[in-house]
């Protein structure tokens, strides 16, 4: 490194790779990088790349139960992943989640292939309590955890280890190899809480499981915890190379699961070469096809030595359907309006937020409910807000602070069209754009508007016409680099219920979907 020092900034070596890739990572100035690229023996200098993250019925859809009971195995023996070690490259893992406990609800006690009490990564150092006989390794890397020293964004004293503060990594790990769990409460995120076990909806899943529930797991934290708009977001290629190096070096990993972007031309870039070396070491590599659909040739997973997996639907959902009924007032009586929300019932006067200027957001559109309304703006009415710009449930909180007792979220023409089963702070309902237009038209007629929002009850809805369909977001083939198939296979990747993080740090800008 001294050969390329230029008197400005001293070059700093960050990592050296031997098994996954023949090379090293370093912090260089542009001039130093240019000098290095012209040095004899150096094949190529490449700037570090930031990659993006890609996010109970799933196992049945792909035939896993037939493998579990031995009816579809050549030996006739039960196959639930026992004896396999699955590596997950992502945002880390929720180490104390039941999906990763040493013993599942089915009574299966995992065996640590390293020997009980022997672990890898952070668990072999200062944090042995993060691991157990199922979760046998938790890796973190300085390039990621050093960000925790930024106390403007992260809490002071946050341990620099591979705990998941995003949720994506825990979800991926549990989907792949989470324990068999019984009588699991459906939980939705508690969006305005940094530390929370979530909000129970009241619905109970009889059983949840990963595809290989008896497999061991090793987690590799290669991604920052933030989302797209946050300061610390994405997954560094240099850190992913570190992880592949550790995976090969461990000698015990059988399969890798990675739901992160990146790939393209197979013979370009160190990470593609690293995956080839992992494949040559006998490790099965599964990666998400990507989230850039629905257009053709949108997958960036081109290398034939990795299994690119497209995302499909499973056709089963938990629905919280409810209605707006008992219309009175106005100059006519509308038909009942259907919608969704996991909340109770209310009968009250109803108004449109757009008719009430918001003193806390004087320059904004009051119909969007973007800021909390001043106390006393409303007096127990149901308030209708237009969807967009901020989190759906935040809008309910904003009108509730102004005195609303109920909430209607109305989609708008040209915006997002799906309807969510959100739990609001007050009884409410989420309706589509046509229904929202009809409701606001009625509110603009006459006076004395009053309605009932009915109570929701959980219902499992099975729609075979939507099962095993490729998700709109899922990246498609054909392979635009070489004449091999990509994606290779598909599997359920829509509305998968699995583990999540119970601590969320580094999310200073991003929030839930509007």
């Amino acid at each position: 490194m001294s050969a390329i020092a230029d008197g400005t900034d001293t070059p700093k070596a960050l990592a050296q790779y031997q098994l996954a890739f023949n090379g090293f990572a370093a912090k260089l100035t542009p001039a130093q990088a240019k000098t290095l690229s012209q040095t004899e023996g150096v094949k190529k200098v490449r700037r570090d790349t930031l990659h993006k993250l890609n996010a109970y019925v799933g196992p049945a859809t792909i035939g896993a139960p037939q493998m579990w009971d031995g009816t579809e195995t050549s030996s006739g023996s039960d196959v639930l992943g026992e004896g396999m070690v699955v590596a997950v490259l992502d945002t880390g893992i929720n180490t104390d989640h039941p999906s990763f406990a040493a013993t599942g609800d089915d009574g299966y006690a995992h065996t640590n292939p390293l020997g009980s009490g022997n672990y890898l990564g952070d668990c072999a150092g200062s944090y042995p309590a993060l691991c157990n006989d199922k979760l046998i390794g938790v890796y973190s890397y300085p390039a990621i955890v050093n960000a925790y020293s930024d106390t403007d964004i992260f809490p002071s004293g946050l341990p620099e280890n591979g705990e998941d503060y995003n949720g994506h990594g825990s979800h991926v790990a549990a989907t792949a190899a989470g324990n068999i769990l019984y009588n699991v409460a459906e939980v939705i995120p508690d969006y305005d809480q940094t530390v929370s076990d979530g909000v129970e909806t009241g619905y109970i899943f009889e059983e949840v499981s990963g595809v290989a529930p008896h497999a061991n797991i090793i987690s590799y934290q290669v991604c920052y915890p933030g989302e797209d708009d946050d300061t610390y977001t994405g997954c560094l290629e240099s850190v992913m190379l570190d992880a592949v190096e550790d995976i090969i070096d461990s000698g015990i990993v059988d399969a890798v699961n990675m739901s992160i972007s990146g790939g393209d031309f197979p013979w370009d870039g160190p990470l593609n070469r690293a995956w080839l070396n992992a494949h040559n070491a006998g490790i099965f590599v599964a990666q998400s096809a990507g989230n850039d659909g629905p257009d053709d040739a949108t997958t960036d997973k081109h290398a034939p030595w990795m299994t690119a997996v497209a995302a499909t639907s499973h056709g089963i959902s938990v629905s919280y359907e409810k209605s707006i009924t008992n219309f009175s007032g106005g100059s006519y009586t509308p038909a009942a309006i259907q919608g969704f929300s996991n909340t109770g019932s209310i009968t009250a006067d109803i108004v449109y937020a757009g008719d009430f200027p918001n003193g806390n957001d004087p320059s904004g559109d009051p119909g969007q409910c973007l800021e909390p309304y001043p106390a006393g703006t409303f007096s127990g009415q149901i308030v209708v807000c237009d969807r967009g710009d901020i989190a759906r449930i935040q809008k309910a909180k904003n009108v509730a602070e102004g005195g609303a007792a109920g909430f209607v979220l109305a989609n708008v023409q040209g915006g997002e069209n799906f309807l969510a089963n959100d739990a609001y702070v007050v009884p409410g309902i989420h309706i589509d754009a046509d229904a929202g237009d009809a409701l606001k038209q009625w509110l603009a007629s006459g006076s004395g508007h009053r309605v009932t929002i009915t109570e929701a009850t959980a219902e499992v809805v099975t729609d075979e016409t939507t099962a095993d369909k490729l998700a709109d977001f899922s990246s498609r083939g054909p392979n635009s680099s070489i004449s091999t198939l990509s994606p290779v296979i598909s599997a359920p990747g829509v509305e998968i219920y699995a583990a999540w993080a119970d601590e969320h740090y580094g999310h200073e800008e991003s929030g839930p979907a509007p």
Side-chain angles (χ1 to χ4, degrees):
M1 299 295 285
S2 60
I4 60 172
D6 58 10
T8 54
D9 293 304
T10 302
K12 182 180 180 181
L14 301 177
Q16 183 174 344
Y17 315 111
Q18 294 179 325
L19 303 174
F21 176 69
N22 183 19
F24 62 91
K27 184 177 181 180
L28 309 173
T29 66
Q32 291 165 350
K34 182 177 180 180
T35 300
L36 184 61
S37 69
Q38 297 169 347
T39 301
E40 185 178 357
V42 176
K43 184 175 181 180
K44 189 173 185 178
V45 175
R46 174 187 172 102
R47 186 173 182 175
D48 202 355
T49 304
L50 196 66
H51 296 271
K52 296 181 179 180
L53 293 165
N54 289 336
Y56 69 116
V57 184
T61 305
I62 62 173
Q66 289 80 12
M67 300 291 290
W68 293 346
D69 63 22
T71 58
E72 293 293 335
T73 63
S74 58
S75 65
S77 301
D78 298 353
V79 178
L80 287 87
E82 184 174 355
M84 300 285 291
V85 177
V86 177
V88 179
L89 276 68
D90 215 289
T91 59
I93 193 165
N94 184 349
T95 57
D96 61 359
H97 194 281
S99 290
F100 314 120
T103 303
D105 286 354
D106 60 344
Y108 179 77
H110 289 77
T111 299
N112 183 347
L114 300 169
S116 185
N118 296 316
Y119 306 123
L120 298 172
D122 297 338
C123 302
S126 301
Y127 303 97
L130 297 180
C131 288
N132 55 55
D133 285 346
K134 179 181 180 70
L135 180 59
I136 61 173
V138 175
Y139 282 84
S140 64
Y141 298 93
I144 301 298
V145 298
N146 284 351
Y148 300 167
S149 62
D150 185 350
T151 53
D152 289 338
I153 295 175
F154 295 96
S156 179
L158 188 65
E160 294 184 357
N161 59 41
E163 189 71 31
D164 185 11
Y165 301 128
N166 176 284
H168 192 276
S170 302
H171 191 269
V172 168
T175 301
N179 286 333
I180 294 174
L181 302 176
Y182 300 135
N183 298 320
V184 178
E186 183 187 38
V187 173
I188 60 176
D190 192 0
Y191 285 118
D192 62 347
Q193 298 298 315
T194 303
V195 179
S196 173
D197 289 329
V199 179
E200 293 190 8
T201 67
Y203 182 77
I204 302 294
F205 293 97
E206 292 184 5
E207 179 179 334
V208 298
S209 168
V211 175
H214 290 177
N216 299 99
I217 295 174
I218 305 175
S219 169
Y220 299 80
Q221 186 188 59
V222 299
C223 307
Y224 293 114
E227 302 291 351
D228 289 346
D229 296 329
D230 294 318
T231 301
Y232 298 102
T233 184
C235 315
L236 287 169
E237 186 167 294
S238 58
V239 178
M240 288 190 276
L241 283 170
D242 261 332
V244 181
E245 183 87 1
D246 287 332
I247 287 169
I248 298 173
D249 188 47
S250 75
I252 63 169
V253 171
D254 299 292
V256 172
N257 188 315
M258 191 182 87
S259 294
I260 300 172
S261 70
D264 295 321
F265 188 64
W267 290 277
D268 182 33
L271 192 55
N272 273 332
R273 189 177 298 273
W275 290 127
L276 175 59
N277 289 331
H279 171 80
N280 291 339
I283 299 169
F284 174 77
V285 180
Q287 299 196 15
S288 60
N291 289 353
D292 296 321
D295 293 337
D296 293 341
T298 47
T299 182
D300 54 7
K301 303 303 171 65
H302 298 170
W305 46 85
M306 63 179 73
T307 299
V309 185
T312 60
S313 59
H314 50 66
I316 299 179
S317 61
V318 181
S319 173
Y320 294 86
E321 188 170 357
K322 57 193 320 190
S323 306
I324 304 176
T325 61
N326 299 334
F327 291 85
S328 62
S331 58
Y332 60 93
T333 303
I337 294 174
Q338 304 300 312
F340 298 89
S341 168
N342 182 24
T343 52
S345 65
I346 183 175
T347 298
D349 293 344
I350 182 170
V351 296
Y352 175 46
D355 296 328
F356 292 78
N358 187 344
N360 293 327
D361 186 25
S363 61
D365 175 7
Q368 284 282 312
C369 308
L370 300 178
E371 296 291 342
Y373 274 85
T377 303
F378 309 109
S379 54
Q381 299 103 319
I382 299 167
V383 178
V384 181
C385 295
D386 294 326
R387 182 179 183 177
D389 291 342
I390 66 170
R392 299 182 300 268
I393 61 173
Q394 184 60 49
K395 298 194 176 203
K397 294 177 180 179
N398 289 346
V399 296
E401 287 197 27
F407 173 66
V408 177
L409 180 66
N411 285 357
V412 296
Q413 302 295 342
E416 292 281 3
N417 56 18
F418 72 89
L419 300 178
N421 291 310
D422 292 327
Y424 305 122
V425 295
V426 292
I429 186 171
H430 186 183
I431 61 177
D432 66 28
D434 289 342
D437 290 346
L439 180 61
K440 285 178 281 189
Q441 183 178 358
W442 173 68
L443 288 172
S445 73
S447 60
H449 305 87
R450 190 174 179 85
V451 300
T452 294
I453 298 177
T454 62
E455 183 173 4
T457 55
E459 179 184 4
V460 177
V461 177
T462 302
D463 185 355
E464 294 184 0
T465 64
T466 64
D468 205 23
K469 304 294 185 184
L470 197 63
D472 283 346
F473 66 81
S474 186
S475 296
R476 268 75 163 167
N479 191 328
S480 59
S481 291
I482 57 177
S483 58
T484 60
L485 185 67
S486 187
V488 179
I489 59 175
S490 65
V494 179
E495 294 186 354
I496 303 299
Y497 190 74
W500 200 247
D502 50 21
E503 297 176 271
H504 292 266
Y505 305 122
H507 300 240
E508 83 278 15
E509 295 293 340
S510 65

